[in-house]
Amino acid sequence: MYAAIMGYGTIGSGVAEILEGNREKVAKGAGQEIALKYVLDLREFPDSPVADRIIHDFEKIEKDPQVRLVVEAMGGLNPAYPFVKACLNAGKHVATSNKALVAAHGTELLALAREKGVNFFFEASVGGGIPIIRTLYRCLMGEEIQEITGILNGTTNYILTKMEKEGASFSDVLKEAQELGYAEKDPEADIKGYDTCRKIAILTSLVTGKEVDYQDIYTEGVTTVTDMDFRYAKKLGASIKLFGTSRMEGEAVHAWVAPVMVGKNHPLYGVGGAYNGILVKSDKLGTSMYYGSGAGKLPTASAVVADLIEAAQNEGKNVPIGWNGQRLALAGMDTFDCRYFVRVAGDAAGKKGQVEDMLGKGETIVLEGADEFAVVTPQMSEREFKERAIKLEQACRNLNEEGIRQMIRTEL
């Protein structure tokens, strides 16, 4: 079978490298050789191994009946979306690593693939090389999925890990991450949680079988997490991670993205650096954990090549995967229950009683030399916590005192 790659950047070049370097292994899995015929890019690559296959005209791919497999590795929505749509319309299988494309247009592209009897695969769009999507739709197909919680963004996990280990500030670690290439020049999609939001939307759609609009998902990033928060976490024997979480509780589905303080007994506690970890809870298997490189050239390309192999194995046949066009109504964040880590300005000896009256009796943590203290509240809904926090803030204002400095959800 002949393949084409659209976009010869990090992922596209990785796919080409694996198709060539692991040719026999790929052929054995696919049942036939997969030969790379075209590489579409705006640039020239005269010194690359694919120099003779570089093209600049998309129609060559679209109109060539020999090309049955197409890799979309351009990123973004334009021209990725119209190009992928055209390839599916032309009866070609498509594999993509583009989470923005899947989150924004996955419903339409999956429906089109079904109609044309081809496949739209996107294993690499979540978790890089971690085989989480295929695990959910194939290995766990007999399970009722109850929860998915993941560290789904390597950039933010790298930043939080450095802050924890070195006691550095968010801004200093972000600058270092940009210099090392872990963070983009414009890191907003990572640090504000948007990247994680799109990924948990894809996973939630996959396990519920309904469309989840990422714009409906409550999303916080990591920009407000401070080195002081990590000082408290250390005293609690805890860590802080950016989670994308989806919980299926009867008819209600909660999905959100936010920093969470977790203890050493949590399966994701030890996932550090630029790695990703995904925890799945299901009714029969229980808790399972998937860990590995969530980004990078070859790990991500490995997942794309696995999609190409599965497409080759299913030539002329659509593999049941994905979700339908029915929109899933997510439960409001106000109905979600958890405990809260709260930092409050002032002296614990004089203010602890007032804080407990407002937020409920929980654990109090004091750091030597700090002009504040912290509490971990009892479990309550977001709505109840907000109401209690407003009353505490009002009481502090009446006394011309500073109130709450920080709130982080916890699973302690």
Side-chain angles (χ1 to χ4, degrees), residues 149-352:
T149 292
I151 296 170
L152 300 171
N153 183 274
T155 299
T156 51
N157 204 43
Y158 173 85
I159 289 170
L160 293 175
T161 301
K162 290 282 283 187
M163 290 176 69
E164 179 177 24
K165 302 295 184 191
E166 299 177 6
S169 69
F170 174 82
S171 57
D172 287 346
V173 177
L174 173 60
K175 185 178 178 183
E176 181 183 340
Q178 288 172 313
E179 290 169 353
L180 292 171
Y182 285 113
E184 301 288 342
K185 188 176 289 187
D186 179 3
E188 185 175 87
D190 295 322
I191 65 176
K192 292 196 174 179
Y194 305 149
D195 177 81
T196 297
C197 173
R198 284 170 170 81
K199 291 171 180 175
I200 199 64
I202 293 168
L203 295 179
T204 308
S205 297
L206 199 64
V207 300
T208 62
K210 298 178 182 179
E211 179 185 39
V212 175
D213 189 331
Y214 66 90
Q215 296 177 89
D216 292 342
I217 295 176
Y218 176 85
T219 302
E220 287 181 23
V222 297
T223 55
T224 60
V225 178
T226 69
D227 52 336
M228 182 64 83
D229 297 323
F230 277 107
R231 286 180 61 192
Y232 282 104
K234 184 177 181 180
K235 190 159 185 178
L236 286 163
S239 184
I240 301 168
K241 308 292 185 183
L242 182 68
F243 280 176
T245 290
S246 180
R247 289 185 183 167
M248 283 55 74
E249 299 164 331
E251 294 298 310
V253 179
H254 287 98
W256 49 267
V257 176
V260 180
M261 189 175 286
V262 294
K264 291 180 180 178
N265 60 340
H266 195 288
L268 295 173
Y269 171 87
V271 178
Y275 283 90
N276 282 193
I278 304 165
L279 177 150
V280 178
K281 292 182 181 177
S282 55
D283 62 340
K284 301 298 184 287
L285 176 61
T287 299
S288 54
M289 173 85 166
Y290 308 87
Y291 169 84
S293 296
K297 178 178 177 176
L298 294 178
T300 306
S302 170
V304 175
V305 171
D307 280 349
L308 294 180
I309 292 171
E310 182 158 8
Q313 291 171 338
N314 290 279
E315 174 64 351
K317 176 183 168 187
N318 176 261
V319 176
I321 171 182
W323 50 90
N324 59 38
Q326 184 180 350
R327 184 83 164 265
L328 179 67
L330 296 174
M333 192 65 182
D334 278 357
T335 63
F336 180 76
D337 282 6
C338 69
R339 300 176 74 197
Y340 303 85
F341 163 83
V342 185
R343 287 169 42 209
V344 183
D347 179 61
K351 214 169 183 178
K352 177 183 174 184

Side-chain angles (χ1 to χ4, degrees), residues 11-57:
I11 309 306
S13 61
V15 172
E17 186 177 328
I18 294 174
L19 288 178
E20 181 61 33
N22 288 16
R23 182 181 298 185
E24 291 183 7
K25 186 74 174 175
V26 170
K28 184 178 180 181
Q32 59 195 303
E33 185 178 346
I34 296 178
L36 181 59
K37 188 169 185 179
Y38 301 121
V39 175
L40 177 72
D41 206 287
L42 293 171
R43 301 161 292 178
E44 300 286 352
F45 297 89
D47 300 321
S48 80
V50 299
D52 60 330
R53 285 163 279 184
I54 296 288
I55 61 169
H56 309 297
D57 182 4

